[in-house]
């Protein structure tokens, strides 16, 4: 079979950013196809993958506007009241909370929602839209771009569109197919994520602890549990991934310094090699890269998905403005504008995140001294703390004043 289907836009990758982009472009009045290699069940009912996504105010507002937020059960949305950063055993924490006198108005810093539930909600909403065609179980074989169309070939036929979007993750095959290179920063560490139930309450506080030899984050989730995010060299993570449950629980209590009392593993364990990626270009003829395919962030600043949503919005804004002026929405002028704006929005955050991650994963004495000093100086600077709080919350200038 070699049927050709025509759409305004074809998106490769039905992850959270690809689906969000589909919804944004549908709202702009375009017909959209989303091509995903997972089968329909794994796509619509995405399984727990360990990630708890800290959503900013801006991300929540967008998900509400797109009709996605209402698909997320309220019982699994965990408000984040405070974020603490600690280094070594000195225990001089840097505390960010939404209510600090120099900070933004009251309210949570953000919300934690598990990645698979965000994915399910996005899918559920996309499935209700007549303008969006969801194509599961499709593996792209080739992508060809010519003067006025992009053509995706797969085993079941071809998709022709005015614009193709690569949203297929940080090791994006689409990026490679288009001949676009990427800066890949390999931190030579692996992150393990899982849920631990515990006896002591977490009070909706997230902890990021740069300890000697390990980095630990404890993120509050509902139901008397926290998400453990542990960063270690690959061999140590491999051992922990296979450790028996009792030995695992005991080691984690020890590693987190008994902060939350007795702890019990209550989920599957998931490991992610720490590699950040930044594409050399975000566009090629008739092609835009978004999400991790364009900017694959180190998770330490919890901004990958939030920036992915920004990319989907920026691209939609440029496409809509081209449509309203009768311009070719997949043409090079539109793509250039998208690329300029999205690079400006992401490059500083990408560089800063890599800097922080490097500083905090090296254990040589100068690095230890520098980070301890860094936290003390930062804590003594209310304007700095307000600026970081505002960035974490991303409420936008209007709301921040209100
Ligand atoms: C441990 C961890 C914690 C994180 N915490 C946060 C956080 O707190 N806040 C935050 O904002 N971000 C966070 N992130 C980052 C966030 O998870 C990612 O930025 C986000 O998932 C990227 O979405 P995406 O749709 O671009 O890519 P992906 O989620 O990688 O989805 C890509 C999709 O494309 C599909 N695909 C791949 N290749 C093909 C192909 N050839 N054809 C068809 N389909 C294909 C895949 O099956 C997948 O469905 C975290 C990441 C990790 C690892």
């Amino acid at each position: 079979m070699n049927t050709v289907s025509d759409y305004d836009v074809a998106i490769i990758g039905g992850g959270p950013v690809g689906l969000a982009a589909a919804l944004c472009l549908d709202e702009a009045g375009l017909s959209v196809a989303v091509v995903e290699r997972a089968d329909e069940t794994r796509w619509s009912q995405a399984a727990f993958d360990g990630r708890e996504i800290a959503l900013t105010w801006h991300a929540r507002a967008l998900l509400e506007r797109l009709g996605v937020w209402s698909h997320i059960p309220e019982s699994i949305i965990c408000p984040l009241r405070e974020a603490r950063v600690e280094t070594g055993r000195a225990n001089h924490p840097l505390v960010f909370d939404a209510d600090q006198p120099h900070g933004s108005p009251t309210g949570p810093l953000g919300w934690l929602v598990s990645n698979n539930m965000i994915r399910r909600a996005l899918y559920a909403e996309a499935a209700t839209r007549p303008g969006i065609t969801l194509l599961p179980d499709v593996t792209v074989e080739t992508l060809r771009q010519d003067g006025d169309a992009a053509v995706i070939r797969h085993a079941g036929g071809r998709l022709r569109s005015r614009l193709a979007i690569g949203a297929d993750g940080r090791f994006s095959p689409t990026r490679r197919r288009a001949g676009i290179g990427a800066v890949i920063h390999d931190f030579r560490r692996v992150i393990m994520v899982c849920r631990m139930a515990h006896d002591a309450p977490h009070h909706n506080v997230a902890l990021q602890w740069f300890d000697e030899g390990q980095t630990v984050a404890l993120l509050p989730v509902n139901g008397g549990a926290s998400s453990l995010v542990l960063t270690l060299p690959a061999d140590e993570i491999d051992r922990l991934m296979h450790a028996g449950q009792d030995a695992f629980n005991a080691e984690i209590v020890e590693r987190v310094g008994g902060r939350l009392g007795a702890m019990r593993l209550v989920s599957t364990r998931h490991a992610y090699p720490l590699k950040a990626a930044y594409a050399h270009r975000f566009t090629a003829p008739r092609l835009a890269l978004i999400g991790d395919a364009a900017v694959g962030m180190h998770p330490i600043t919890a901004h990958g998905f939030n920036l992915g949503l920004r990319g989907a919005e920026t691209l939609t804004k440029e496409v809509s403005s081209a449509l309203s002026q009768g311009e070719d929405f997949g043409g090079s002028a539109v793509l250039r504008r998208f690329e300029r704006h999205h690079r400006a929005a992401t490059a500083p955050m990408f560089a800063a995140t890599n800097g922080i991650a490097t500083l905090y994963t090296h254990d040589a004495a100068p690095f230890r001294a520098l980070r301890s000093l860094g936290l003390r100086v930062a804590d003594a600077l209310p304007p700095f703390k307000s600026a970081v709080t505002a960035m974490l919350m991303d409420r936008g200038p209007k709301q921040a004043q209100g």
Side-chain angles (χ1 to χ4, degrees):
M1 187 171 52
N2 200 9
T3 53
V4 183
S5 313
D6 282 292
Y7 299 93
D8 291 325
V9 182
I11 301 177
I12 303 170
V17 176
L19 286 172
L23 290 166
C24 291
L25 291 161
D26 175 62
E27 303 232 309
L30 296 171
S31 62
V32 185
V34 187
V35 169
E36 166 61 44
R37 68 179 170 194
D39 64 35
E40 213 216 309
T41 310
R42 284 195 301 131
W43 195 10
S44 61
Q45 297 301 311
F48 179 73
D49 62 12
R51 304 182 201 192
E52 303 294 336
I53 305 294
L55 296 166
T56 63
W57 285 71
H58 182 86
R60 176 179 172 155
L62 177 66
L63 294 177
E64 280 177 351
R65 187 168 65 69
L66 293 174
V68 175
W69 193 255
S70 58
H71 292 283
I72 302 175
E74 226 178 295
S75 60
I76 63 131
I77 301 169
C78 185
L80 182 60
R81 302 266 161 223
E82 186 181 298
R84 298 167 76 88
V85 184
E86 295 181 18
T87 181
R89 305 264 159 171
N91 212 15
H92 180 89
L94 176 59
V95 178
F96 300 99
D97 65 65
D99 301 336
Q100 56 183 291
H102 301 279
S104 303
T106 54
L109 278 174
W111 295 266
L112 282 152
V113 180
S114 54
N115 191 45
N116 70 315
M117 296 309 276
I118 296 174
R119 294 185 70 148
R120 288 181 186 197
L122 284 157
Y123 183 96
E125 181 57 27
T128 68
R129 306 281 185 104
I132 299 180
T133 305
L134 297 170
L135 300 167
D137 230 345
V138 172
T139 302
V140 174
E141 287 168 1
T142 58
L143 167 67
R144 187 170 51 76
Q145 304 118 276
D146 58 32
D148 56 5
V151 180
I152 293 167
R153 195 160 62 82
H154 58 94
R158 284 183 293 163
L159 298 176
R160 190 167 46 212
S161 59
R162 297 272 293 282
L163 175 64
I165 296 178
D168 45 359
R170 71 183 57 202
F171 304 112
S172 168
T174 303
R175 188 176 70 211
R176 222 180 30 245
R177 276 195 182 98
I180 301 175
V183 175
I184 306 278
H185 194 125
D186 185 348
F187 293 92
R188 297 176 197 282
R189 292 282 187 284
V190 177
I191 242 175
M192 185 193 67
V193 274
C194 61
R195 278 191 178 195
M196 306 288 297
H198 42 77
D199 290 349
H202 53 51
H203 299 295
N204 295 72
V205 175
L207 170 75
Q208 178 78 53
W209 181 26
F210 300 104
D211 191 18
E212 282 159 33
Q214 63 171 2
T215 303
V216 180
L218 286 168
L219 309 175
V221 295
N222 292 341
S226 289
S227 168
L228 169 76
V229 187
L230 181 62
T231 307
L232 287 169
D235 54 342
E236 288 190 58
I237 290 292
D238 192 48
R239 180 182 58 72
L240 274 168
M241 289 288 290
H242 298 99
Q245 192 137 338
D246 290 345
F248 181 84
N249 292 344
E251 180 167 341
I252 298 306
V253 170
E254 169 72 23
R255 283 187 176 277
V256 306
R259 285 157 200 264
L260 293 169
M263 298 182 100
R264 292 166 304 285
L265 178 67
V266 290
S267 77
T268 42
R269 292 166 255 190
H270 301 264
Y272 296 93
L274 272 181
K275 285 188 187 165
Y278 199 89
H280 291 157
R281 288 178 287 125
F282 292 173
T283 64
R286 300 276 155 199
L287 175 72
L289 299 177
I290 57 170
D292 279 13
V295 184
M297 299 275 289
H298 186 300
I300 207 164
T301 47
H303 263 62
F305 178 55
N306 290 299
L307 287 180
L309 289 179
R310 284 280 184 188
E313 282 181 286
T314 305
L315 183 58
T316 306
K317 187 166 160 259
E318 295 305 335
V319 163
S320 302
S321 121
L323 276 172
S324 68
Q325 288 164 35
E327 205 184 338
D328 174 5
F329 65 80
S332 57
V334 173
L335 294 177
R336 263 200 312 275
R337 288 198 291 272
F338 154 70
E339 168 149 41
R340 195 173 60 243
H341 291 306
H342 198 42
R343 286 189 99 81
T346 53
M349 177 64 96
F350 185 78
T353 300
N354 285 353
I356 293 170
T358 304
L359 175 64
Y360 284 95
T361 45
H362 285 65
D363 276 327
F367 285 103
R368 287 206 307 269
L370 204 58
R371 55 201 189 217
S372 170
L373 179 71
L375 288 199
R376 280 167 200 281
V377 170
D379 201 30
L381 287 175
F384 169 81
K385 285 187 25 169
S386 302
V388 174
T389 305
M391 182 203 78
L392 291 173
M393 295 172 80
D394 192 12
R395 290 185 83 157
K398 254 208 204 116
Q399 289 152 309
Q401 284 155 16

